[in-house]
Amino acid sequence: MKMHGKLVFVLGAIIFLAVIVAAVAKKPAVDRSEKAFGHFLQEFEAKFVPLSKEVALAAFQASISGQDEDFKRSADLQIQLNKITADPAEFARLKAFKKGGQVKEPLLKRQLDIIYDSYLENQIPVAQMEAMVKLQAQIEQKFNTFRARVDGTVMTDNGIEQILRNASDSRQLEAAWKASKEIGRLVAADILRLVKLRNAAAKQLGFADFWEMQFKLSEQDPQAIESLFDELDLLTRDGFVALKKTIDAFLAARCGVNAEQLMPWHYQNRYFQEAPVIYPVELDVYYKDKDLVQLTSDYFKGIGLPIDDIIVRSDLFEKPGKYQHAFSSDIDRGGDARVLCSVKPDSYWMNTLLHEFGHSAYSKFNDPRLPWTLRDAAHAFTTEAIANLFGRFAASPAWMRAMSVIGADEAQRIAAPSRDALRLQQMVFSRWSQVMFRFEKSMYENPDQDLNRSWWELVEKYQLLKMPVGRNEPDWAAKIHIALYPCYYHNYLLGELLASQLLYHIAGAVLKSENVEDQSFVGRPEVGRYLIESVFKPGMRWPWNEMIERASGEKLTAKYYSRQFVSGE
Ligand SMILES: [Zn+2]
């Protein structure tokens, strides 16, 4: 994760309320020249840049301490920051610069476009904002306090997942799965209201619906992304059908049923978004006596992306009250990046460390000569791609061997099952992402359709699961992202595509190797040099697909992801 998801949401909720204080519109500036925009930028940066650093520091501190006063301070600062981009008078000035067409110098024009969009999404009438905030907060609280009841026992999400992973009794699995879906009923009506409010706001800002607005404001062409998902569907369909048979045979034997009797609760996860464990690889044993932070430091140093200064500023181990997941925060776009983790010696945290320090390397090695506004990742999914590229190595026998985590014999022994497990994970996640992407698109297009049915049609089509007979429940509403992180899920899959595209490019063009599977980049500083020059330093100078084309010779494509995980070339 790049940011502190939950914190960002809570802050976001408060910010929306803060818009009430937005200033009254003044007359737009008459001077629309580049010079005048230069002045606007100076004023904007003088207000925005120091405050955004304070916000980042306060948010980082709050997630370490978990203290109410730290959260309050962090939220107060965030409110101040958001007042800046909610200001209608400033927005009118930006609009005039856009319309005037006199801002032509590429870096100035790029800044104008980006700043304009960040103001635009905050130009929603106060009452509507307030209604959305309240609903979001209400839904979040329901998710936070909901605990599934299985046969009279109250369970956390972790508890449910544990049953689904470990139990083999169909009745017990069914009870746990169904109990976990009860939250859907509690929030479905609120989510629907929220969806309609979001759509109304988007329409006022000139978009067809909220889904389209979210895509366009993050510089993603909805049709192009849909084509990519169509392509990916075609590429993965047959392979997934075959893999699904393997999964079904394994799970049927495990649960003592026929393959035809397998139901959604047999797949070891509430949503079948993660791969069931069907291959014999147990990675945790390799990491249990290792210093994961040292491994991370050594690895990044070896590839020419030293991150020891980031480690020093980071907060990497468990503390009471501390946020339990992980994130990387770019504090000032001036080299100060920090990571928050709760490291334990296992493969999950090895993956997480490589992932988060991938994000922070992207932040640290930016181009200090770029204007502040452009000194950020080209897109949320391009930094996820870098993070995934490194995170995946935690399960790579080639990487573990090169880092002396395991010996040559062990690497040889687990090579095949590791490859199978990685491939299965990607295929399962890819098919699940199709469901999320298509459901959200369809829901915002027509919120009044039979959503319960639409959800299961997609689950049956893309994940090849069977809807339980006669089921008519809002199972879509049980997935927290639908309500609280809307129209974002596709970026996770795009990040995976780009990670594969960069892996193939680095192996071939940078390391001059035909062999992709054995790549670990260990001790190869030319990899760091390439990433700094071609991916990190460009920042937001160009739209993300132009950066990708310049960096890899091609626009974003599903080809390499497919090669790595589908066809296995
Ligand atoms: Zn991430």
Side-chain angles (χ1 to χ4, degrees), residues 134-161:
K134 280 188 183 152
L135 265 174
Q136 285 200 121
Q138 201 171 305
I139 294 166
E140 201 200 13
Q141 186 152 28
K142 283 182 183 171
F143 269 102
N144 284 350
T145 52
F146 171 76
R147 296 289 180 272
R149 292 185 78 90
V150 187
D151 297 334
T153 309
V154 176
M155 312 217 65
T156 61
D157 286 354
N158 279 334
I160 293 281
E161 290 291 351

Side-chain angles (χ1 to χ4, degrees), residues 143 181 191 211 215 225 229 271-273 428-444 451 454-460 462-463 475-493:
F143 269 102
K181 303 294 173 186
I191 296 177
W211 187 86
F215 275 72
I225 303 295
F229 269 72
Y271 305 97
F272 191 30
Q273 70 178 65
V428 166
F429 183 72
S430 166
R431 300 305 289 182
W432 155 249
S433 300
Q434 292 278 349
V435 173
M436 288 293 285
F437 172 76
R438 292 173 198 279
F439 180 79
E440 286 195 290
K441 177 174 194 291
S442 164
M443 177 177 72
Y444 283 101
L451 292 169
S454 304
W455 175 258
W456 276 104
E457 280 169 6
L458 292 167
V459 169
E460 292 191 325
Y462 291 100
Q463 296 184 285
D475 293 327
W476 51 275
K479 185 67 184 166
I480 192 167
H481 295 73
I482 300 276
L484 301 182
Y485 313 100
C487 311
Y488 185 81
Y489 214 85
H490 62 285
N491 285 314
Y492 297 126
L493 190 56

Side-chain angles (χ1 to χ4, degrees), residues 215-410:
F215 275 72
K216 289 195 168 164
L217 286 184
S218 66
E219 299 193 305
Q220 288 178 332
D221 171 11
Q223 275 76 45
I225 303 295
E226 195 176 5
S227 303
L228 203 55
F229 269 72
D230 289 344
E231 186 192 348
L232 207 54
D233 170 33
L234 265 178
L235 285 168
T236 55
R237 193 182 296 157
D238 294 344
F240 185 68
V241 168
L243 267 180
K244 178 78 171 18
K245 286 204 178 102
T246 310
I247 295 172
D248 284 1
F250 181 92
L251 293 176
R254 181 175 179 274
C255 301
V257 297
N258 297 323
E260 304 76 58
Q261 295 171 308
L262 286 169
M263 298 306 291
W265 42 85
H266 288 114
Y267 289 82
Q268 299 192 341
N269 179 275
R270 282 172 291 167
Y271 305 97
F272 191 30
Q273 70 178 65
E274 277 171 34
V277 182
I278 67 171
Y279 301 114
V281 217
E282 175 50 76
L283 297 172
D284 285 348
V285 292
Y286 305 131
Y287 290 111
K288 73 176 193 306
D289 53 1
K290 297 289 185 296
D291 182 343
L292 272 52
V293 177
Q294 192 62 50
L295 281 169
T296 308
S297 161
D298 292 346
Y299 177 65
F300 280 99
K301 198 176 296 158
I303 59 170
L305 299 172
I307 39 94
D308 282 358
D309 53 330
I310 304 175
I311 291 178
V312 169
R313 286 188 298 266
S314 293
D315 201 279
L316 299 179
F317 299 97
E318 281 185 322
K319 281 180 183 159
K322 182 174 157 179
Y323 179 69
Q324 295 183 64
H325 302 285
F327 66 94
S328 165
S329 175
D330 188 345
I331 301 290
D332 63 359
R333 302 188 185 181
D336 183 353
R338 303 176 187 202
V339 168
L340 184 141
C341 279
S342 293
V343 176
K344 292 210 162 125
D346 60 27
S347 64
Y348 169 82
W349 284 106
M350 189 71 253
N351 177 314
T352 304
L353 277 171
L354 294 171
H355 180 106
E356 300 305 341
F357 281 96
H359 280 308
S360 62
Y362 201 146
S363 302
K364 174 183 168 178
F365 295 100
N366 63 21
D367 186 348
R369 289 163 310 175
L370 269 186
W372 186 89
T373 299
L374 304 181
R375 233 183 287 149
D376 196 5
H379 195 280
F381 88 83
T382 64
T383 179
E384 283 310 328
I386 294 297
N388 291 342
L389 178 66
F390 291 123
R392 284 175 186 173
F393 285 137
S396 153
W399 187 86
M400 288 190 280
R401 190 188 158 189
M403 293 301 293
S404 303
V405 172
I406 57 175
D409 292 351
E410 193 65 1

